[in-house]
Amino acid sequence: MNIELIDIPKIGNVLGNIGVIENGTMPFEMKRVYYLYDIPSSAKRGGHAHKSLVQVLIAISGSFDVLLNDDVSERKVTLNKPNVGLLINNNIWRELENFSSGAVCLVIASAVYDEEDYIRDYDDYLNHIKTIRTL
Ligand code: T46
């Protein structure tokens, strides 16, 4: 599956840590930053794939699970460290759940928001993935 855990550079000392993300830190050009917060523990976010968008998810506070599926394999990744990012390439179905109290999911994205890039129906996703595999 086309995902990867990446290290977020950390500057630390006895006074605490600084996580630094700047041009060149991500394996793509950063175009947008957004974050999910005040998420009820029962909430399930995501439930879609992106045709083109690539992004990195970071649990900058608390923890949550990311369920990933590319129609060939399934993975569950628990994010709980502010210095670890989950790179999710395009055409991967993702769901986010099991948010801890105070969890914040920071997302660094390769493009600005475009609803046309989303596939929000799972059957549509399966059809899409079959089509691109036969190209
Ligand atoms: C993803 C996960 C991790 C905007 O208008 N601009 C934005 O930049 C975003 C991210 C969302 N929106 C609107 C679109 C919807 O009307 O906010 C509403 C909620 O978005 P969505 O249902 O897509 O939220 P999540 O948490 O399910 O998904 C988001 C990202 O959309 C998605 O790319 O991978 O976070």
Side-chain angles (χ1 to χ4, degrees):
M1 182 180 292
N2 208 353
I3 60 167
E4 194 182 329
L5 289 173
I6 60 174
D7 290 328
I8 306 297
K10 180 172 87 172
I11 302 165
N13 62 33
V14 290
L15 302 178
N17 297 319
I18 303 176
V20 181
I21 299 167
E22 56 191 350
N23 276 345
T25 307
M26 295 291 142
F28 52 82
E29 193 185 344
M30 301 182 279
K31 292 280 179 60
R32 178 171 48 127
V33 175
Y34 63 90
Y35 45 96
L36 314 179
Y37 65 103
D38 286 349
I39 310 156
S41 58
S42 59
K44 291 185 190 300
R45 309 287 309 221
H48 58 253
H50 286 280
K51 296 174 201 162
S52 306
L53 187 79
V54 177
Q55 49 190 11
V56 169
L57 276 52
I58 305 166
I60 53 169
S61 177
S63 66
F64 52 88
D65 294 335
V66 187
L67 311 178
L68 301 143
N69 177 339
D70 67 358
D71 189 33
V72 172
S73 58
E74 290 181 355
R75 293 275 304 272
K76 179 169 108 172
V77 178
T78 299
L79 290 178
N80 55 13
K81 294 187 179 72
N83 65 325
V84 174
L86 173 64
L87 171 68
I88 307 177
N89 276 286
N90 58 336
N91 295 314
I92 295 177
W93 188 266
R94 86 287 315 269
E95 295 173 13
L96 283 66
E97 63 178 29
N98 197 22
F99 288 89
S100 71
S101 170
V104 178
C105 173
L106 180 76
V107 185
I108 316 287
S110 65
V112 297
Y113 175 71
D114 175 11
E115 187 58 35
E116 292 295 307
D117 189 63
Y118 285 74
I119 307 171
R120 293 188 183 270
D121 179 271
Y122 190 65
D123 289 334
D124 290 347
Y125 169 68
L126 294 179
N127 288 332
H128 174 76
I129 212 96
K130 281 191 189 90
T131 305
I132 56 175
R133 287 216 173 98
T134 55
L135 289 178

